[in-house]
Amino acid sequence: MTKPISAPLVHIVDDDDAIRDALSWLFSTRQVDTQVWSSGEAFLQAMTPETSGCILLDIRLGGISGLEVFERLRQMHATLPVIFLTGHGDLPLAVNALKQGAADFIEKPFNDNDLVDRVLEVLRSYRLSQAERASENALERRLDTLSQREREVLGLALEGRLNKQIAEDLNITMRTVEVHRARALDKMQARSLLELARCVDPIRLRSGTGSATN
């Protein structure tokens, strides 16, 4: 049984034993973990939703091609960045892959340090995007806990409306506004409106659907 991939690393997918070994050794000299795959089929079989890292993918593989692997990854909505290893004759294919969302391509023969530097750069960008995505998902989950009234109160407050004005706008008492505002800030894990304003647009708050209406 194939062990699922989970740890962030560089996945080297190449059907040439010598190239796989050379690349694995090259990355080890820069303290970069790798996992090698002799075919696109083997890599795809081991893929899980938790798989992370960067894929260094030979564009011409035995079995399914690197481009077919890339297409299947797109169909799976995988977010792992893909860097193609290409020969000179593959440049048009590689350029087209870039247009389809590949991170980059590196032409053989390549400079060892340049290749590792580029892969590390892609990995850093990937990890940053993953962190941003996790933060956005956490924010969305907190927004989903707000009632519709809490969204309205916070949205108006973020637009600069005073509690008295919000009460008049929503035809509720100032005390009710204060309660909704305090409860909403607590749910959003924000200590103040200023802190919340750094990550939430008032239009986003008021246009959403809360979990309740009171």
Side-chain angles (χ1 to χ4, degrees), residues 110-179:
F110 46 79
N111 176 280
D112 290 354
N113 285 324
D114 288 348
L115 181 145
V116 177
D117 287 344
R118 180 57 185 140
V119 171
L120 291 178
E121 181 182 342
V122 168
L123 265 175
R124 281 191 291 268
S125 296
Y126 168 71
R127 286 169 174 161
L128 179 60
S129 68
Q130 289 293 92
E132 291 174 346
R133 186 176 294 109
S135 177
E136 176 64 20
N137 289 340
L139 176 63
E140 196 62 42
R141 286 193 296 271
R142 292 195 291 271
L143 283 170
D144 287 342
T145 68
L146 299 179
S147 71
Q148 187 59 34
R149 183 64 85 192
E150 287 165 352
R151 282 178 174 268
E152 292 169 345
V153 168
L154 270 191
L156 289 168
L158 287 173
E159 290 173 359
R161 305 285 285 174
L162 301 176
N163 284 355
K164 181 179 180 181
Q165 295 170 317
I166 295 173
E168 293 172 352
D169 290 342
L170 300 179
N171 195 28
I172 56 179
T173 67
M174 275 188 59
R175 176 57 183 162
T176 301
V177 171
E178 291 168 358
V179 170

Side-chain angles (χ1 to χ4, degrees), residues 25-34 116 120:
W25 176 85
L26 173 62
F27 281 104
S28 73
T29 66
R30 300 279 292 271
Q31 290 76 53
V32 179
D33 291 333
T34 60
V116 177
L120 291 178

Side-chain angles (χ1 to χ4, degrees), residues 74-91:
R74 292 178 61 212
Q75 292 170 0
M76 296 163 61
H77 304 291
T79 60
L80 282 72
V82 174
I83 299 176
F84 279 105
L85 290 175
T86 71
H88 179 70
D90 299 321
L91 289 182

Side-chain angles (χ1 to χ4, degrees), residues 3-115:
K3 183 179 179 180
I5 312 165
S6 58
L9 41 74
V10 178
H11 305 282
I12 300 169
V13 187
D14 198 300
D15 57 1
D16 187 312
D17 294 346
I19 290 178
R20 289 198 310 275
D21 291 344
L23 287 173
S24 183
W25 176 85
L26 173 62
F27 281 104
S28 73
T29 66
R30 300 279 292 271
Q31 290 76 53
V32 179
D33 291 333
T34 60
Q35 192 159 1
V36 297
W37 308 92
S38 60
S39 69
E41 292 92 335
F43 175 72
L44 290 172
Q45 183 180 359
M47 278 280 295
T48 73
E50 290 72 39
T51 299
S52 60
C54 175
I55 306 169
L56 197 55
L57 179 62
D58 189 5
I59 204 165
R60 292 189 182 275
L61 293 170
I64 64 172
S65 71
L67 290 174
E68 289 177 283
V69 173
F70 179 59
E71 180 58 31
R72 293 193 191 183
L73 289 170
R74 292 178 61 212
Q75 292 170 0
M76 296 163 61
H77 304 291
T79 60
L80 282 72
V82 174
I83 299 176
F84 279 105
L85 290 175
T86 71
H88 179 70
D90 299 321
L91 289 182
L93 297 176
V95 170
N96 186 60
L98 285 182
K99 294 177 181 178
Q100 299 300 318
D104 206 349
F105 67 88
I106 296 173
E107 188 177 358
K108 302 174 184 177
F110 46 79
N111 176 280
D112 290 354
N113 285 324
D114 288 348
L115 181 145

